[in-house]
Amino acid sequence: VRLVESGGGVVQTGGSLTLSCAASGFTFSHYYMSWLRRAPGKGLEWVSGISTGSSSTRYVDSVKGRFTISRDNAKNTLYLQMDSLKPEDTAVYYCAKYKNRYYTDTSYDTKDYDYWGQGTQVTVSS
């Protein structure tokens, strides 16, 4: 399994970024996927998740209305569109694969994800 995130950077408050995650080594379309993040000095936080066929998306309250998760199963790629960014969004962002195939619910527990990538740094300046 390999997950490679990209698209991070430094933006000003109110700016936008689009993160991508290229997946390989497993059947991407069979797995629930999520974005996690780790802010400086804090633990790993679940941010957003998407079902296998994209019919269901979920977000942590702090990013609702600002972030949009999507996936392209034909390209084995997960995305996170981030708009209206705030300094508190500063973190390393990871895409993560849920541990079981064909999972149809939403998992907010970071311990339920068995693989994630090296992460991409997002820094929002005030």
Side-chain angles (χ1 to χ4, degrees), residues 98-116:
Y98 187 74
K99 59 187 179 182
N100 297 327
R101 295 173 73 178
Y102 305 127
Y103 183 65
T104 57
D105 206 333
T106 300
S107 174
Y108 309 95
D109 189 343
T110 59
K111 297 183 180 63
D112 285 339
Y113 296 86
D114 56 358
Y115 288 95
W116 52 91

Side-chain angles (χ1 to χ4, degrees), residues 47-102:
V47 176
S48 180
I50 186 167
S51 60
T52 55
S54 303
S55 62
S56 174
T57 58
R58 294 289 185 270
Y59 303 90
V60 68
D61 285 348
S62 61
V63 308
K64 281 181 181 176
R66 301 189 297 120
F67 289 13
T68 303
I69 190 172
S70 62
R71 66 192 295 165
D72 185 334
N73 287 341
K75 296 182 178 179
N76 292 342
T77 304
L78 180 71
Y79 302 98
L80 186 68
Q81 174 67 41
M82 305 187 295
D83 298 318
S84 302
L85 283 161
K86 303 176 180 180
E88 51 264 44
D89 295 318
T90 294
V92 178
Y93 285 73
Y94 304 88
C95 70
K97 168 189 163 292
Y98 187 74
K99 59 187 179 182
N100 297 327
R101 295 173 73 178
Y102 305 127

